[in-house]
Amino acid sequence: MLIVTAKMPKRKLTLGVAAAALLCCCAIALNFGQAASREASASAIPSPKGVKSNQDRIDYLAAYGWQVSEEPIATQELLIPKEMDESYQEYLALQSDQGFDLQKYAGKRVKRYTYEIFNYPSGEAGVQANLLICKNTVVGGEVLSPRLDGFLHGLTMP
């Protein structure tokens, strides 16, 4: 076993301890800053649960930045197919990218609420947002242009 000892003046020792303490404080502050940033981005995604009323649906879409009509322009009851063929793959992928798993709701009835969007970034009129809701939980959604050459994307504002 090898033991090394050294004599240091108290002034240098105090300075070293202070520098180490300052370094630790900076590291802790940076770590808290990153954690707060992660929490803020995670909390930016609205909770899909507890969406019961029209105002809840409007608030849910507003959390994504959308300004929508006060009332849905259409409400439909849909049956999610028990078995989905290849024609559903692109739509299922769109929903999955947003954290929705429509396959869990295969064979179940959902309500689709359609709202007109007033603040689409391109300024295009007639853009719509759909929310699929099952038992007060958003299970899917998308933004679309009903034009023939229109678009379809997730709820996040482009």
Side-chain angles (χ1 to χ4, degrees):
M1 179 189 311
L2 178 65
I3 298 177
V4 178
T5 60
K7 262 188 157 177
M8 281 185 99
K10 281 189 176 184
R11 179 182 288 169
K12 285 185 181 179
L13 183 63
T14 305
L15 209 66
V17 169
L22 181 62
L23 186 63
C24 286
C25 288
C26 288
I28 290 171
L30 285 173
N31 191 28
F32 280 144
Q34 289 175 350
S37 172
R38 282 191 300 267
E39 283 179 25
S41 66
S43 67
I45 299 171
S47 171
K49 296 184 180 199
V51 180
K52 300 175 185 177
S53 68
N54 183 52
Q55 190 59 51
D56 291 340
R57 294 187 297 272
I58 290 171
D59 292 345
Y60 185 83
L61 291 168
Y64 282 100
W66 300 117
Q67 295 171 0
V68 298
S69 52
E70 290 294 317
E71 294 292 327
I73 57 175
T75 302
Q76 293 178 303
E77 189 168 306
L78 306 173
L79 178 65
I80 306 289
K82 284 186 180 183
E83 294 187 24
M84 299 181 209
D85 60 21
E86 289 180 19
S87 66
Y88 285 95
Q89 293 311 309
E90 197 173 317
Y91 187 73
L92 291 173
L94 170 75
Q95 299 305 326
S96 179
D97 289 347
Q98 301 181 92
F100 299 122
D101 183 6
L102 272 183
Q103 291 181 322
K104 283 177 32 180
Y105 297 92
K108 299 201 176 180
R109 294 192 177 279
V110 298
K111 278 203 170 182
R112 180 175 67 191
Y113 296 91
T114 303
Y115 291 86
E116 184 176 0
I117 292 178
F118 298 124
N119 65 330
Y120 197 77
S122 69
E124 182 178 338
V127 177
Q128 300 172 354
N130 287 327
L131 289 179
L132 300 176
I133 300 192
C134 182
K135 296 182 181 178
N136 302 324
T137 299
V138 178
V139 298
E142 67 270 352
V143 172
L144 63 112
S145 170
R147 294 187 340 210
L148 201 51
D149 63 340
F151 54 82
L152 174 73
H153 62 77
L155 293 171
T156 303
M157 191 177 288

